[in-house]
Coordinates of all heavy atoms in Angstrom, one line a residue:
F62 N 181.5 161.4 77.3 CA 180.5 162.0 78.1 C 180.9 163.4 78.5 O 182.0 163.7 78.8 CB 180.3 161.1 79.4 CG 179.7 159.8 79.1 CD1 180.6 158.7 78.9 CD2 178.4 159.6 79.1 CE1 180.0 157.4 78.6 CE2 177.8 158.3 78.8 CZ 178.7 157.3 78.6
S65 N 179.9 165.4 84.4 CA 178.7 165.2 85.1 C 178.4 166.5 85.9 O 179.3 167.0 86.6 CB 178.8 164.0 86.1 OG 179.0 162.8 85.3
T79 N 159.5 152.5 85.7 CA 160.9 152.1 85.5 C 161.2 151.5 84.2 O 162.3 151.4 83.7 CB 161.4 151.2 86.6 OG1 160.6 150.0 86.5 CG2 161.2 151.8 88.0
V80 N 160.2 150.9 83.5 CA 160.2 150.2 82.3 C 160.7 148.8 82.4 O 160.0 147.8 81.9 CB 161.0 150.9 81.2 CG1 161.1 150.1 79.9 CG2 160.4 152.3 80.8
T81 N 161.8 148.6 83.1 CA 162.3 147.2 83.2 C 161.8 146.5 84.5 O 162.1 145.4 84.7 CB 163.8 147.2 83.2 OG1 164.3 148.2 84.2 CG2 164.3 147.6 81.8
G82 N 161.2 147.3 85.4 CA 160.7 146.7 86.6 C 159.2 147.2 86.9 O 158.6 147.8 86.1
V90 N 162.9 159.6 93.1 CA 164.1 159.4 92.3 C 165.1 160.4 92.7 O 164.8 161.6 92.7 CB 163.8 159.5 90.8 CG1 165.1 159.3 90.0 CG2 162.8 158.5 90.3
V91 N 166.3 160.0 93.1 CA 167.4 160.9 93.4 C 168.4 160.9 92.3 O 168.9 159.9 91.8 CB 168.1 160.5 94.7 CG1 169.3 161.4 95.0 CG2 167.1 160.5 95.9
I92 N 168.7 162.1 91.9 CA 169.7 162.4 90.8 C 170.9 163.0 91.4 O 170.8 164.1 92.1 CB 169.1 163.3 89.7 CG1 167.9 162.6 89.1 CG2 170.2 163.6 88.6 CD1 167.1 163.5 88.1
S93 N 172.1 162.5 91.2 CA 173.3 163.1 91.7 C 174.5 162.8 90.8 O 174.6 161.6 90.3 CB 173.6 162.5 93.1 OG 174.8 163.1 93.6
K94 N 175.3 163.8 90.5 CA 176.5 163.6 89.6 C 176.1 163.0 88.3 O 176.8 162.2 87.7 CB 177.5 162.8 90.3 CG 178.1 163.4 91.6 CD 179.1 162.5 92.2 CE 179.7 163.1 93.5 NZ 180.7 162.3 94.2
G95 N 175.0 163.4 87.7 CA 174.6 163.1 86.4 C 173.9 161.7 86.3 O 173.5 161.3 85.2
K96 N 173.8 161.0 87.4 CA 173.2 159.6 87.4 C 172.1 159.5 88.3 O 171.8 160.3 89.2 CB 174.3 158.6 87.6 CG 175.4 158.6 86.6 CD 176.3 157.4 86.7 CE 177.4 157.3 85.6 NZ 178.3 156.2 85.7
I97 N 171.4 158.4 88.2 CA 170.3 158.0 89.1 C 170.9 157.4 90.4 O 171.5 156.3 90.3 CB 169.3 157.0 88.5 CG1 168.7 157.7 87.2 CG2 168.2 156.6 89.5 CD1 167.9 156.7 86.4
A98 N 170.9 158.1 91.4 CA 171.6 157.7 92.7 C 170.7 156.7 93.5 O 171.2 155.8 94.2 CB 172.0 158.9 93.5
A99 N 169.4 156.9 93.4 CA 168.5 156.0 94.1 C 167.1 156.1 93.5 O 166.7 157.2 93.0 CB 168.5 156.4 95.6
V100 N 166.4 155.1 93.6 CA 165.0 155.1 93.1 C 164.2 154.0 94.0 O 164.7 152.9 94.2 CB 164.9 154.7 91.6 CG1 165.6 153.4 91.3 CG2 163.5 154.7 91.2
P122 N 161.8 157.1 81.7 CA 163.1 157.3 81.1 C 162.9 158.2 79.8 O 161.8 158.3 79.2 CB 163.4 155.9 80.6 CG 162.5 155.0 81.3 CD 161.3 155.7 81.6
G123 N 163.9 159.0 79.5 CA 163.8 159.8 78.3 C 163.7 158.9 77.1 O 164.3 157.8 77.1
I125 N 164.0 157.6 73.1 CA 165.1 157.5 72.2 C 164.6 157.3 70.7 O 163.8 156.4 70.5 CB 166.0 156.2 72.5 CG1 166.5 156.3 73.9 CG2 167.2 156.1 71.5 CD1 167.1 155.0 74.4
D196 N 173.0 162.5 73.0 CA 172.1 163.1 73.9 C 171.8 164.5 73.4 O 172.6 165.2 72.9 CB 172.7 163.2 75.3 CG 172.7 161.9 76.0 OD1 171.8 161.1 75.8 OD2 173.6 161.6 76.9
L207 N 177.0 160.1 73.1 CA 176.8 159.0 74.1 C 177.6 157.8 73.6 O 178.2 157.1 74.4 CB 175.3 158.6 74.2 CG 175.0 157.5 75.1 CD1 175.4 157.8 76.6 CD2 173.5 157.1 75.0
T396 N 162.3 153.3 74.5 CA 163.2 153.5 75.7 C 164.2 152.3 75.8 O 165.3 152.5 75.2 CB 162.4 153.5 77.0 OG1 161.5 152.4 77.1 CG2 161.5 154.8 77.1
I397 N 163.9 151.2 76.4 CA 164.9 150.2 76.7 C 165.3 149.4 75.4 O 166.4 149.0 75.3 CB 164.4 149.3 77.8 CG1 165.6 148.4 78.3 CG2 163.2 148.5 77.4 CD1 166.8 149.1 78.9
Y398 N 164.3 149.2 74.5 CA 164.7 148.4 73.3 C 165.7 149.0 72.5 O 166.7 148.3 72.1 CB 163.4 148.0 72.5 CG 162.5 147.0 73.2 CD1 161.2 146.8 72.8 CD2 163.0 146.2 74.3 CE1 160.4 145.8 73.4 CE2 162.2 145.2 74.9 CZ 160.9 145.0 74.4 OH 160.1 144.1 75.0
A400 N 167.9 151.1 73.4 CA 169.2 151.1 74.2 C 169.8 149.7 74.0 O 171.1 149.6 73.9 CB 168.8 151.4 75.6
E401 N 169.0 148.7 74.0 CA 169.6 147.3 73.9 C 170.2 147.1 72.5 O 171.2 146.5 72.3 CB 168.5 146.3 74.2 CG 168.1 146.2 75.7 CD 166.9 145.3 75.9 OE1 166.3 144.9 75.0 OE2 166.6 145.1 77.1
G404 N 173.4 148.8 72.1 CA 174.5 148.4 73.1 C 174.7 149.4 74.2 O 175.9 149.5 74.7
V405 N 173.7 150.2 74.6 CA 173.9 151.1 75.7 C 172.8 150.9 76.8 O 172.6 151.8 77.6 CB 173.9 152.6 75.2 CG1 175.1 152.9 74.3 CG2 172.6 152.9 74.4
A406 N 172.3 149.7 76.9 CA 171.2 149.5 77.9 C 171.7 149.5 79.3 O 170.9 149.6 80.2 CB 170.6 148.1 77.6
D407 N 173.1 149.5 79.5 CA 173.6 149.6 80.8 C 173.7 151.1 81.2 O 174.1 151.4 82.4 CB 175.0 148.9 80.9 CG 176.0 149.5 79.9 OD1 175.5 150.0 78.9 OD2 177.2 149.5 80.2
R408 N 173.4 152.0 80.3 CA 173.5 153.4 80.6 C 172.2 154.2 80.6 O 172.0 155.1 81.4 CB 174.5 154.1 79.6 CG 175.8 153.4 79.5 CD 176.7 154.0 78.4 NE 177.8 153.2 78.1 CZ 178.7 153.5 77.1 NH1 178.4 154.5 76.3 NH2 179.7 152.7 76.9
I409 N 171.3 153.8 79.6 CA 170.1 154.6 79.5 C 169.0 153.6 79.1 O 169.2 152.4 79.0 CB 170.2 155.6 78.3 CG1 170.5 154.9 77.0 CG2 171.2 156.7 78.7 CD1 170.5 155.9 75.8
G410 N 167.8 154.1 79.1 CA 166.6 153.3 78.6 C 165.7 152.9 79.7 O 164.6 152.4 79.4
S411 N 166.0 153.0 80.9 CA 165.2 152.6 82.0 C 165.6 153.4 83.3 O 166.6 154.0 83.3 CB 165.2 151.1 82.3 OG 166.5 150.7 82.7
I412 N 164.7 153.4 84.3 CA 165.0 154.1 85.5 C 165.6 153.1 86.5 O 164.9 152.3 87.2 CB 163.8 154.8 86.1 CG1 163.2 155.7 85.1 CG2 164.1 155.5 87.4 CD1 162.0 156.5 85.5
E413 N 166.9 153.0 86.6 CA 167.6 152.1 87.5 C 168.8 152.8 88.1 O 169.4 153.7 87.5 CB 168.1 150.9 86.7 CG 167.0 150.0 86.1 CD 167.6 148.9 85.3 OE1 168.2 148.0 86.0 OE2 167.4 148.8 84.1
Q414 N 169.1 152.4 89.4 CA 170.2 153.1 90.1 C 171.5 152.9 89.3 O 171.8 151.8 88.8 CB 170.4 152.5 91.5 CG 171.5 153.1 92.3 CD 171.5 152.5 93.7 OE1 170.7 151.7 94.1 NE2 172.4 153.0 94.5
G415 N 172.3 153.9 89.1 CA 173.6 153.8 88.4 C 173.5 154.2 87.0 O 174.5 154.5 86.4
K416 N 172.3 154.3 86.4 CA 172.2 154.7 85.0 C 172.2 156.2 84.8 O 172.0 157.0 85.8 CB 170.9 154.2 84.4 CG 170.9 152.6 84.1 CD 169.8 152.2 83.2 CE 169.9 150.8 82.8 NZ 168.9 150.4 81.8
I417 N 172.5 156.7 83.6 CA 172.6 158.1 83.4 C 171.2 158.7 83.6 O 170.2 158.0 83.2 CB 173.0 158.4 81.9 CG1 174.5 157.9 81.7 CG2 172.9 159.8 81.6 CD1 174.9 157.9 80.3
A418 N 171.1 159.8 84.2 CA 169.8 160.4 84.5 C 169.2 161.2 83.3 O 169.2 162.4 83.3 CB 169.9 161.3 85.7
N419 N 168.8 160.4 82.3 CA 168.0 161.0 81.2 C 166.5 160.7 81.6 O 166.0 159.5 81.3 CB 168.4 160.3 79.9 CG 169.7 160.8 79.4 OD1 170.3 161.7 80.0 ND2 170.1 160.4 78.2
L420 N 165.8 161.6 82.1 CA 164.5 161.4 82.6 C 163.5 162.5 82.2 O 163.9 163.6 81.9 CB 164.5 161.4 84.2 CG 165.5 160.4 84.8 CD1 165.6 160.6 86.3 CD2 165.0 158.9 84.6
I439 N 168.7 165.7 81.3 CA 169.7 165.0 80.4 C 171.0 165.0 81.1 O 171.5 166.0 81.5 CB 169.7 165.7 79.1 CG1 168.4 165.6 78.4 CG2 170.8 165.0 78.2 CD1 168.3 166.3 77.0
N440 N 171.6 163.8 81.3 CA 172.8 163.7 82.0 C 172.8 164.3 83.4 O 173.7 164.9 83.9 CB 174.0 164.3 81.2 CG 174.6 163.3 80.2 OD1 174.8 162.1 80.5 ND2 174.7 163.8 79.0
G441 N 171.6 164.2 84.0 CA 171.4 164.7 85.4 C 171.2 166.2 85.4 O 171.1 166.8 86.5

Side-chain angles (χ1 to χ4, degrees):
F62 293 91
S65 298
T79 63
V80 174
T81 53
V90 179
V91 176
I92 300 170
S93 181
K94 297 181 180 179
K96 294 189 177 182
I97 300 171
V100 56
I125 304 169
D196 283 330
L207 179 63
T396 53
I397 191 61
Y398 287 166
E401 291 173 349
V405 292
D407 60 331
R408 305 175 193 174
I409 60 173
S411 62
I412 302 179
E413 299 178 62
Q414 185 176 356
K416 286 194 173 184
I417 297 171
N419 285 0
L420 303 171
I439 298 180
N440 278 313

